[in-house]
């Protein structure tokens, strides 16, 4: 015998008759006493309808129990049994409570039986009305949900989220406990593999969902053949509606692998398997829903529960999932195509970065680091709930736009002459070699001059000139040492560091020195251009070279403007064009200021300067320690060059730590 559907629960003393006396011949009615405190019995079976008979002498001290009873039992009637003398009191205190009847004791058993039967009929009718209302609401919901799903599928561009949505909605529409989704895929060709004529398609298991069991499944690849139910459906394009996968029709060649059921302690029973056919009439996947339930709330946590609760899928389920699968196939194809286009674009972007870094190997990785820092800062801005940028939010498309702009911000360096682009010191190598050779010539000239003077002394004085010869040797050594000191000044000045005052004084002295050439004409130790280059106060570039380097921003803009960017990426050229602008208008190339500098470019400027300061791959300078780099950034913000609010977020969130993580 199954569990009873109806019950009478009583709470009273010796004065109340046991409910079994009211229904002596109806054992299907479960009768039980409430606890002394009015609590429901611990082992109360699930009841569809129940009536509680409660004595007022027990209930009057805690009428809130009525609310607790109603929360515990769905279809419940509460009768309060009251002595005549207490009727007024009971009516007064129960006025605000949901009580079905107040009955005077002692009871008339026959009248009470009729009242209980009538109440059970009323509860059953109310339960049926509730079921029908719920069913109507479910059908209305299914109709509205299908339309909503159609809109959601057409709008979703992320493939992984789309796969989750497809399977979730198929399960919701059919009240399925579990499901899985497979994609038909060809093997991706290896880079450089041109012939794909022998492409073999496979079935990739990508998504699994289960309301009753926790899943930790990894993607797997199955052969696209009839050895699996999903493979059969994909090959034959035939939907399968299976009542019980453990009792498959003979002669079909279908088989079910129970390994997963055994591992999870689950019972797969009914299954609906539908091919996903796209607009080109090609099967691109298979959606599989499992175990249709009587109610969404039911958990099939044991095989026995599944046996009792699982229903076969109906024709309506098959039609709904079939329609949704066709719609989903088109949406999925669109999303996959968009993903491939985005991957292609990102590949072109990164290939462009690689090309420019080949011209300037010492800064390899700079563009990628700037992109990671800038996007990291944008994510911090997106999360902040205080300060100047608390209302600024970035959509995923805007973050991608910012990433591309950051990766490509230096691509215009392709238009800068290579020897200028990679110039590490104030003089080019060949210039320094020429100066070294010139100083060697000067040294030989000095030596020749002193040798001539020594010869004259020897011819004039003979052996008695030792003292004068020694003096000449000392003078020569001093002159040569002085010459080497001047060359040391040149090498010191050649470094791209800040020019020290003593080095500048040495250059001023060198600018006045001359030596005789082979025709005895005076020649300067250093040419005017060499003096100008060595006198650069900081860095390695003279004014002309600096302008050429700065022109890379304009080259970048012109290059990026040639690309037909999509609507979501249309600002990539402008963002990259503005990354050397300063808020006070002293930047380049346009000299714009304030609000004219996009927030994306402001973030990139901070990231660009930070990486330039801390990068350890520059041969012409040492990496600046973190604290000093942040101090330099703060001084730039104080001078109205950088956005101080963004810099505060950059420092507080320690955005720079993202560089320590794998890309």
């Amino acid at each position: 015998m199954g569990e009873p559907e109806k019950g009478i629960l009583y709470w009273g003393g010796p004065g109340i008759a046991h409910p079994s006396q009211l229904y002596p011949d109806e054992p299907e009615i479960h009768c039980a006493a409430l606890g002394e405190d009015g609590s429901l019995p611990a082992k109360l079976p699930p009841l569809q309808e129940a009536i509680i008979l409660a004595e007022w002498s027990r209930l009057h001290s805690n009428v809130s129990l009525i609310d607790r009873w109603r929360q515990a039992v769905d279809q419940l009637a509460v009768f309060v049994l009251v002595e005549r003398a207490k009727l007024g009191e009971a009516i007064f205190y129960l006025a605000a409570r949901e009580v079905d009847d107040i009955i005077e004791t002692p009871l008339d058993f026959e009248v009470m039986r009729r009242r209980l039967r009538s109440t059970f009929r009323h509860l059953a009718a109310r339960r049926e009305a509730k079921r029908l209302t719920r069913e109507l609401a479910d059908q209305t919901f299914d109709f509205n949900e299908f339309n909503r799903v159609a809109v959601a599928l057409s709008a979703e561009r992320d493939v992984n989220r789309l796969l989750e949505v497809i399977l979730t909605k198929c399960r919701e529409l059919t009240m399925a406990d579990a499901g899985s989704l497979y994609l038909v895929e060809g093997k991706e060709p290896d880079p450089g593999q041109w012939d794909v004529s022998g492409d073999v398609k496979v079935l990739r298991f990508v998504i699994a969902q289960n309301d009753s069991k926790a899943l930790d499944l990894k993607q797997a690849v199955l052969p696209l053949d009839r050895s699996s139910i999903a493979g059969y459906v994909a090959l034959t394009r035939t939907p399968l509606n299976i009542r019980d996968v453990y009792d498959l029709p003979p002669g079909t060649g279908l088989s079910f692998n129970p390994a997963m059921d055994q591992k999870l302690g689950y019972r797969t029973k009914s299954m609906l398997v539908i091919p996903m056919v796209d607009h080109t009439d090609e099967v691109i996947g298979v959606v599989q829903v499992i175990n249709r339930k009587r109610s969404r709330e039911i958990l099939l946590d044991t095989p026995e529960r599944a046996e009792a609760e699982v229903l076969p899928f109906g024709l309506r389920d098959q039609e709904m999932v079939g329609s949704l699968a066709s719609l989903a196939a088109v949406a999925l194809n669109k999303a996959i195509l968009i993903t491939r286009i985005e991957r292609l674009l990102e590949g072109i972007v990164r290939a462009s970065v690689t090309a420019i870094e080949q011209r300037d190997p010492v800064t390899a990785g700079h563009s990628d680091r700037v992109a990671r820092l800038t996007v990291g800062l944008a994510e911090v801005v997106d999360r902040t709930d205080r300060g100047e940028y608390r209302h600024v939010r970035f959509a995923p498309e805007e973050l991608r736009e910012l990433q591309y702009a950051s990766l490509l911000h230096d691509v215009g360096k392709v238009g800068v002459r290579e020897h200028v682009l990679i110039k590490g010191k104030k003089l080019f190598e060949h210039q320094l070699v020429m100066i070294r050779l010139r100083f060697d010539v000067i040294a030989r000239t000095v030596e020749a001059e002193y040798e001539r003077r020594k010869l004259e002394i020897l011819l004039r004085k003979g052996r008695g000139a030792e003292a004068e010869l020694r003096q000449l040797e000392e003078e020569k050594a001093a002159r040569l040492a002085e010459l080497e000191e001047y060359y040391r000044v040149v090498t010191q000045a050649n470094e791209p560091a800040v020019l020290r005052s003593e080095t500048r004084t040495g250059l001023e002295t060198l600018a006045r020195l001359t030596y005789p050439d082979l025709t005895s004409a005076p020649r300067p130790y250093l040419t005017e251009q060499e003096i100008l280059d060595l006198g650069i106060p900081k860095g390695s570039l003279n004014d002309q070279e600096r302008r050429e380097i700065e022109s890379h921003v304009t080259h970048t803009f012109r290059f990026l403007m040639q690309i037909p960017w999509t609507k979501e990426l249309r600002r990539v050229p402008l963002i990259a064009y503005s990354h050397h602008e300063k808020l006070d208008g002293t930047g380049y190339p346009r000299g714009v200021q304030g609000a004219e500098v996009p927030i994306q470019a402001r973030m990139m400027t901070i990231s660009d300067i930070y990486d330039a300061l801390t990068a350890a791959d520059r041969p012409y300078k040492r990496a600046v320690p973190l604290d000093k780099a942040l101090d330099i950034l703060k001084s730039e913000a104080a001078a109205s060059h950088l956005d101080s609010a963004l810099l505060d977020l950059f420092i507080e969130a320690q955005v720079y730590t993202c560089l320590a993580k794998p890309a």
Side-chain angles (χ1 to χ4, degrees):
M1 181 182 295
E3 294 181 339
E5 295 183 352
K6 297 184 288 187
I8 300 177
L9 309 175
Y10 61 95
W11 189 28
I16 183 171
H18 194 284
S20 61
Q21 296 175 335
L22 299 172
Y23 281 100
D25 300 322
E26 297 189 42
E28 73 276 7
I29 295 180
H30 179 80
C31 297
L34 299 182
E36 285 295 321
D37 58 354
S39 59
L40 296 173
K43 296 184 178 180
L44 183 68
L47 300 175
Q48 294 184 352
E49 301 112 28
I51 300 173
I52 290 182
L53 305 177
E55 267 195 0
W56 176 244
S57 60
R58 295 285 186 96
L59 183 62
H60 80 280
S61 61
N62 191 3
V63 294
S64 63
L65 281 171
I66 296 172
D67 298 331
R68 289 165 52 189
W69 293 337
R70 291 198 177 279
Q71 291 173 2
V73 181
D74 183 30
Q75 298 299 327
L76 176 68
V78 177
F79 292 169
V80 180
L81 310 182
V82 188
E83 297 175 356
R84 174 171 294 199
K86 298 288 186 178
L87 273 174
E89 176 188 83
I91 292 171
F92 176 79
Y93 283 105
L94 294 172
R97 300 291 172 178
E98 191 179 351
V99 174
D100 293 86
D101 206 350
I102 298 175
I103 301 174
E104 182 182 342
T105 58
L107 300 175
D108 182 322
F109 278 16
E110 186 59 34
V111 173
M112 194 63 185
R113 286 192 195 98
R114 290 198 299 270
R115 183 171 293 184
L116 291 176
R117 289 192 182 98
S118 174
T119 301
F120 274 127
R121 287 195 297 272
H122 172 71
L123 291 175
R126 193 165 69 182
R127 178 170 58 85
E128 180 64 12
K130 186 175 181 180
R131 185 190 66 79
L132 291 173
T133 300
R134 185 169 58 245
E135 186 174 306
L136 177 61
D138 287 344
Q139 290 179 352
T140 303
F141 172 82
D142 287 349
F143 179 78
N144 294 332
E145 185 72 0
F146 188 83
N147 287 323
R148 193 183 71 81
V149 170
V151 174
L153 291 180
S154 63
E156 184 58 70
R157 292 173 54 179
D158 183 273
V159 173
N160 292 326
R161 287 202 301 266
L162 181 59
L163 293 172
E164 289 283 357
V165 170
I166 292 170
L167 184 56
T168 298
K169 297 311 177 184
C170 286
R171 290 177 52 236
E172 288 179 357
L173 290 174
T174 57
M175 242 185 294
D177 184 62
S180 52
L181 196 147
Y182 301 81
L183 293 181
V184 177
E185 296 180 350
K187 183 180 181 297
E188 287 288 335
D190 296 327
Q193 179 184 349
W194 319 118
D195 183 10
V196 293
S197 56
D199 185 21
V200 177
K201 292 187 175 181
V202 295
L203 201 61
R204 182 178 296 277
F205 167 71
V206 289
I207 297 290
Q209 297 173 352
N210 192 307
D211 289 340
S212 301
K213 295 290 184 179
L215 299 178
D216 184 19
L217 304 178
K218 298 180 179 179
Q219 292 193 6
V221 176
L222 306 176
L224 187 56
D225 56 28
R226 302 188 182 209
S227 63
S228 64
I229 294 175
Y232 176 89
V233 169
L235 280 177
T236 64
R237 308 161 66 93
T238 304
L240 287 180
N241 191 341
I242 303 171
R243 296 181 63 88
D244 190 342
V245 295
Y246 286 88
D247 187 21
L248 293 169
T252 60
L254 296 175
S255 63
F256 173 74
N257 186 348
M260 190 56 64
D261 276 6
Q262 295 167 1
K263 179 180 178 181
L264 296 175
Y266 191 68
R267 168 66 161 95
T268 300
K269 193 172 183 182
S270 62
M271 182 182 289
L272 179 61
V273 193
I274 303 290
M276 297 172 63
V277 183
D278 69 5
H279 64 289
T280 64
D281 202 37
E282 181 179 352
V283 177
I284 66 168
V286 173
V287 62
Q288 182 173 277
V289 289
I290 298 168
N291 286 349
R292 179 171 179 261
K293 300 186 291 188
R294 299 176 186 275
S295 167
R296 290 189 178 93
E297 291 73 28
I298 294 174
L299 292 181
L300 307 180
D301 48 359
T302 64
E304 294 75 21
R305 187 79 166 166
E307 288 283 1
E309 298 291 347
V310 171
L311 301 173
F313 290 97
L315 179 61
R316 173 181 166 275
D317 297 318
Q318 185 169 329
E319 291 173 348
M320 290 284 285
V321 175
S323 298
L324 182 55
S326 296
L327 183 64
V330 176
L332 182 58
N333 232 1
K334 171 189 168 186
I336 291 173
L337 179 60
I338 290 174
T339 299
R340 287 174 177 169
I341 293 173
E342 289 175 346
R343 285 173 55 193
L344 175 63
L345 177 58
E346 181 160 351
I348 294 172
V349 168
R350 293 193 176 276
S352 300
V353 174
T354 301
I356 188 60
E357 288 181 346
Q358 291 298 316
R359 297 195 68 226
D360 188 10
V362 298
T363 61
H366 168 71
S367 295
D368 182 69
R369 293 193 297 270
V370 170
R372 292 167 64 188
L373 289 167
T374 307
V375 173
L377 178 54
E379 290 171 343
V380 171
V381 172
D382 186 69
R383 294 193 300 266
T384 190
D385 57 359
R386 57 186 176 82
E388 180 179 344
Y389 293 109
R390 62 186 179 278
H391 300 304
V392 175
R393 295 294 178 265
F394 293 102
E397 294 78 12
E398 292 174 307
L399 292 177
R400 188 181 305 112
E401 175 185 63
L402 182 56
Q403 180 191 29
Y404 288 170
S406 301
L407 285 169
L408 294 169
H409 76 283
D410 277 344
V411 73
K413 287 182 177 178
V414 72
V416 178
R417 291 177 298 166
E418 187 168 356
H419 67 280
V420 175
L421 184 64
I422 64 175
K423 187 181 181 186
K425 298 190 178 183
K426 297 177 183 179
L427 298 176
F428 294 109
E429 185 64 28
H430 70 275
Q431 291 178 300
L432 189 61
V433 169
M434 288 297 297
I435 292 175
R436 177 71 264 181
L437 292 174
R438 190 185 306 145
F439 272 53
D440 288 344
V441 169
I442 296 172
R444 298 298 176 268
T445 302
V446 170
E447 290 176 346
E449 171 63 20
Y450 277 97
E451 291 301 322
R452 182 187 62 77
R453 290 174 60 186
K454 284 168 61 177
L455 182 59
E456 289 178 352
I457 291 173
L458 284 172
L459 291 174
R460 189 173 65 249
K461 295 187 177 181
R463 294 179 177 269
E466 287 84 354
E468 289 185 59
L469 292 176
R470 280 197 302 272
Q471 183 178 352
L472 285 177
E473 276 298 322
E474 291 172 359
E475 289 178 10
K476 182 181 75 171
R479 286 283 306 279
L480 292 175
E482 183 183 49
L483 186 62
E484 282 303 310
E485 179 62 22
Y486 286 142
Y487 185 76
R488 188 182 65 81
V489 170
V490 171
T491 58
Q492 284 182 342
N494 192 38
E495 294 299 321
V498 176
L499 190 65
R500 294 187 298 181
S501 59
E502 58 268 26
T503 305
R504 181 176 295 279
T505 300
L507 287 176
E508 291 171 353
T509 301
L510 274 168
R512 297 190 295 269
L513 296 178
T514 61
Y515 70 98
D517 64 9
L518 294 178
T519 65
S520 297
R523 297 286 184 182
Y525 274 37
L526 297 176
T527 67
E528 184 177 349
Q529 187 60 52
E530 289 167 348
I531 290 293
L532 288 175
D533 288 346
L534 290 170
I536 295 170
K538 182 181 179 181
S540 62
L541 302 174
N542 60 35
D543 291 342
Q544 180 183 353
E545 292 163 345
R546 186 171 300 281
R547 285 193 295 271
E548 184 173 352
I549 287 290
E550 290 176 354
S551 72
H552 83 274
V553 182
T554 302
H555 291 311
T556 294
F557 180 70
R558 291 173 179 168
F559 172 79
L560 296 180
M561 285 298 291
Q562 302 302 311
I563 300 174
W565 299 100
T566 62
K567 179 181 177 181
E568 296 83 2
L569 303 174
R570 66 188 183 280
R571 291 175 298 180
V572 166
L574 176 63
I575 296 169
Y577 194 30
S578 306
H579 79 277
H580 276 298
E581 302 290 356
K582 297 180 180 179
L583 296 185
D584 64 353
T586 60
Y588 63 89
R590 295 175 295 152
V592 296
Q593 58 184 335
E596 295 179 272
V597 184
I599 180 176
Q600 296 93 331
R602 301 183 194 191
M603 293 187 291
M604 195 195 305
T605 302
I606 292 172
S607 303
D608 193 32
I609 295 175
Y610 174 84
D611 187 68
L613 290 170
T614 59
D617 54 8
R618 311 294 171 91
Y620 49 83
K621 74 171 189 66
R622 293 181 179 178
V624 174
L626 174 62
D627 292 344
K628 186 175 180 181
L630 297 181
D631 287 341
I632 293 173
L633 288 170
K634 290 176 184 176
S635 66
E636 288 290 297
S640 299
H641 295 165
L642 300 179
D643 189 314
S644 58
L646 289 175
L647 180 60
D648 288 343
L649 291 172
F650 181 86
I651 296 173
E652 289 172 13
Q654 298 183 347
V655 174
Y656 43 82
T657 59
C658 72
L659 298 182
K661 303 172 185 176

